[in-house]
Amino acid sequence: MYDVAVVGCGPVGALAANLAAGAGLRTLVVDREAEPHPLPRAVHLDHEMMRLFQGAGLVERLVPVMRETEGHLHVGADRGVIRYLGTAGRPRPFGWANDYFFYQPELEDVLRDGLARFPHAELRLGVELERLDQDADGVTLALRAGDEPSAVRARFVVACDGARSRVRKALGIPLDDLDFEEPWLVVDAAVDGPVRFPDLWGVPDAADLQRLSVMVCDPARPATVVPGRGNLRRWEFMLLPGEDDAEMMRPERVAALLAPYLEGVPHRIVRAATYRFHGLIAERWRDGRVFLAGDAAHQTPPFFGQGMCHGMRDAANLAWKLDLVARGVAGPALLDTYQPERDPHVRSVVTAAVEAGRYICELDPVRAGARDAALRERARQGAPSTAADLIPPLREGAIARGTPGAGERFVQPRVDTPGGRVLLDDATGQGWRLFARGAAAFGRARAAAGALAPLGVTPVDADALADDGTLARWFDDRGVRAVLVRPDFYVFGTAADDADVLVAAAYDALALRAPASRPAPLVGVSGAVAIHQGEQA
């Protein structure tokens, strides 16, 4: 029996499989397609994903295929800046830049190749899931490769099978519609030269338009221009009422839309396709031993580039929990924290993206003028200054609620080591870490780490880490001496003095128990669902 079966091997499924296999879980990944999708779809990820790749041991292979950029700029109807979420010259508290662009086929190649590192991971391509059958001990997956049926068993299934998830539909899980649907034309082009922009005003001195996602909130035709990997660039044009998808994808129409940006610039159109930008979230993210992740669980308008990031956070959130439960370290109740942690997190960002989408898509010139004035006033009052500020902390779930900093992403400064200056995670190692400041606090942290031995907690003397002061500020700002960090880099909880309080909190919040040779079966899980033939994954 596999510990985990992942359905769908796009970027989210491939990362989920790498994290599960990296934790030592016997992992199977199936995808109905024999080859990765050859064209770009997602194009953006943020610092948190780079940290996950770092933890998965893949970042050195991925950095060369990433383009680091500098945030977002929104331009109003009068060609003046109405919102700037720029990162140029700003500190990097989490170790990586806030924005990276990539070419999806390259990203998928690295993630899929990464599975070859694990003898206990298996990738089956061109294999379709036909049916799921759950019982108290696991899930039976009926598969088909061409005319060849087969069946496998797994303790848990993670469905990363996309926006039209056949698993989600088979489980009868409805989507919560956040009432946002707008048609847009997406154009990718290879461009040999800088993109041209109209004369804009109010652009900050630090802003480089070639390194920003520029949203032109023109009521005559809202559009987005984003940088890409290498010489790739992406444009997104809102379809106006009455415009036909097929007509707008014609080469002549595409050329006319691009002309203001590419006149005199050599370029080649890679693809042009229309999409409906949605705000949708699954009402249930779990059915017994089956979990939804990525677009199967939620769909986000692309205005902050967070769609794929959400899915990768899902994968990271599940991986360490499935590991603890599969090894019998934690009870199945730990898995109940998945949706309570991820749903509000996703919903917050989707809501922000929908809000941005509504003002970006404003087609009435008078209302657009009022919008511009309101956003400029909001910026003067101190609205979030980078897209990273839009990501909220976890509010509940497997955290020590009520302790300062619980649920936040933990910082990752560079620290000095005998081998040179490296990122914190590389200096201390991955997994559960208990950082403490002061000799007495560190001594108590070591004892607490011993009490949390089933988790494999590493005690870390924060005072012995030579960084730029980021760690000390983090502790001082929250008035704490100890912090327990989860494998997905979120803070479990903190202690003002004695880390022992975190031991009790961890046993409670994580449903920890003494390791057992075989986990107890989940209670009340049974039933079969069929995957309907002919549906698109």
Side-chain angles (χ1 to χ4, degrees):
M1 178 186 286
Y2 294 96
D3 293 311
V4 177
V6 179
V7 180
C9 196
V12 172
L15 178 64
N18 272 278
L19 295 175
L25 300 176
R26 190 177 179 217
T27 303
L28 170 68
V29 196
V30 298
D31 196 291
R32 63 185 300 188
E33 303 295 338
E35 301 291 338
H37 191 70
L39 295 173
R41 289 178 291 190
V43 295
H44 173 269
L45 51 81
D46 68 14
H47 59 86
E48 197 174 339
M49 308 310 113
M50 295 300 284
R51 194 173 187 179
L52 293 176
F53 298 152
Q54 179 190 349
L58 295 170
V59 79
E60 289 187 1
R61 291 190 59 195
L62 285 169
V63 165
V65 298
M66 295 285 167
R67 183 186 184 192
E68 182 181 315
T69 59
E70 298 174 345
H72 308 260
L73 183 83
H74 295 190
V75 178
D78 57 3
R79 301 289 173 87
V81 173
I82 56 175
R83 192 176 191 185
Y84 177 53
L85 298 166
T87 58
R90 289 176 173 268
R92 299 180 177 187
F94 305 107
W96 296 96
N98 194 65
D99 299 282
Y100 293 87
F101 282 82
F102 60 88
Y103 183 62
Q104 185 168 333
E106 293 178 334
L107 172 65
E108 291 193 25
D109 282 346
V110 173
L111 293 174
R112 291 185 178 201
D113 289 349
L115 292 170
R117 299 172 298 168
F118 306 108
H120 51 282
E122 184 179 349
L123 173 61
R124 297 188 191 178
L125 300 176
V127 173
E128 199 159 15
L129 173 67
E130 293 190 311
R131 182 181 177 90
L132 291 168
D133 187 354
Q134 298 194 61
D135 55 44
D137 296 319
V139 185
T140 300
L141 296 87
L143 306 174
R144 178 172 294 277
D147 295 331
E148 294 293 327
S150 63
V152 298
R153 291 272 292 167
R155 289 180 178 175
F156 300 103
V157 172
V158 182
C160 305
D161 54 343
R164 298 177 181 177
S165 170
R166 301 168 73 194
V167 173
R168 185 191 67 233
K169 292 176 181 177
L171 295 172
I173 298 176
L175 293 168
D176 181 9
D177 190 339
L178 301 188
D179 194 26
F180 182 84
E181 179 176 324
E182 294 291 349
W184 284 63
L185 172 69
V186 177
V187 180
D188 290 303
V191 180
D192 295 323
V195 173
R196 300 167 62 90
F197 286 92
D199 290 337
L200 306 178
W201 60 271
V203 178
D205 291 340
D208 178 351
L209 296 178
Q210 303 299 323
R211 297 174 62 84
L212 288 166
S213 296
V214 179
M215 299 182 186
V216 183
C217 307
D218 181 352
R221 171 80 73 187
T224 303
V225 187
V226 301
R229 151 112 165 89
N231 68 343
L232 291 174
R233 300 289 181 271
R234 171 168 289 184
W235 281 261
E236 296 165 350
F237 299 98
M238 182 177 171
L239 270 58
L240 303 180
E243 288 184 329
D244 177 73
D245 289 45
E247 167 65 19
M248 295 303 291
M249 287 188 286
R250 290 177 56 230
E252 310 88 78
R253 295 301 300 266
V254 172
L257 290 168
L258 291 181
Y261 302 97
L262 291 178
E263 185 177 0
V265 182
H267 65 277
R268 174 178 59 84
I269 304 300
V270 175
R271 70 155 190 166
T274 56
Y275 288 87
R276 263 57 183 170
F277 293 168
H278 296 287
L280 301 168
I281 299 177
E283 292 186 1
R284 291 183 290 116
W285 295 33
R286 177 188 180 189
D287 186 294
R289 292 178 174 272
V290 182
F291 300 83
L292 304 182
D295 285 354
H298 40 70
Q299 295 156 49
T300 307
F303 303 116
F304 295 117
Q306 283 292 315
M308 195 187 73
C309 297
H310 286 318
M312 291 188 166
R313 290 188 187 97
D314 298 342
N317 188 286
L318 273 174
W320 66 266
K321 294 175 181 176
L322 291 173
D323 172 46
L324 290 182
V325 175
R327 289 192 290 116
V329 172
L334 176 60
L335 301 175
D336 294 338
T337 65
Y338 172 54
Q339 183 172 357
E341 289 190 359
R342 294 295 304 129
D343 185 303
H345 210 250
V346 167
R347 199 171 291 270
S348 173
V349 179
V350 173
T351 300
V354 168
E355 178 196 8
R358 294 197 196 290
Y359 75 67
I360 290 168
C361 297
E362 178 57 66
L363 299 180
D364 181 90
V366 174
R367 289 199 293 268
R371 167 205 63 196
D372 294 354
L375 284 171
R376 287 175 181 134
E377 178 58 28
R378 193 165 77 171
R380 281 190 287 271
Q381 294 176 3
S385 58
T386 73
D389 299 332
L390 299 171
I391 310 299
L394 304 176
R395 299 296 186 191
E396 57 183 308
I399 59 173
R401 292 174 57 189
T403 63
E408 295 180 9
R409 293 164 295 179
F410 193 57
V411 292
Q412 185 186 209
R414 291 186 178 274
V415 299
D416 291 332
T417 71
R421 200 163 178 79
V422 302
L423 289 167
L424 177 70
D425 299 344
D426 294 334
T428 63
Q430 309 287 328
W432 288 90
R433 288 167 291 173
L434 180 52
F435 294 82
R437 291 191 69 199
F442 181 57
R444 288 190 286 271
R446 294 180 67 178
L452 291 171
L455 293 179
V457 176
T458 300
V460 181
D461 182 356
D463 288 341
L465 296 169
D467 70 331
D468 60 357
T470 297
L471 287 171
R473 284 193 297 276
W474 196 94
F475 280 88
D476 292 344
D477 288 348
R478 291 153 187 80
V480 300
R481 306 291 287 181
V483 53
L484 182 59
V485 180
R486 308 188 330 182
D488 58 1
F489 312 113
Y490 282 81
V491 172
F492 170 77
T494 58
D497 184 31
D498 191 347
D500 277 351
V501 300
L502 293 174
V503 175
Y507 268 85
D508 181 49
L510 305 178
L512 293 184
R513 61 190 182 194
S517 58
R518 182 178 175 82
L522 271 69
V523 176
V525 175
S526 64
V529 291
I531 306 298
H532 301 293
Q533 297 294 321
E535 293 180 352
Q536 298 297 310

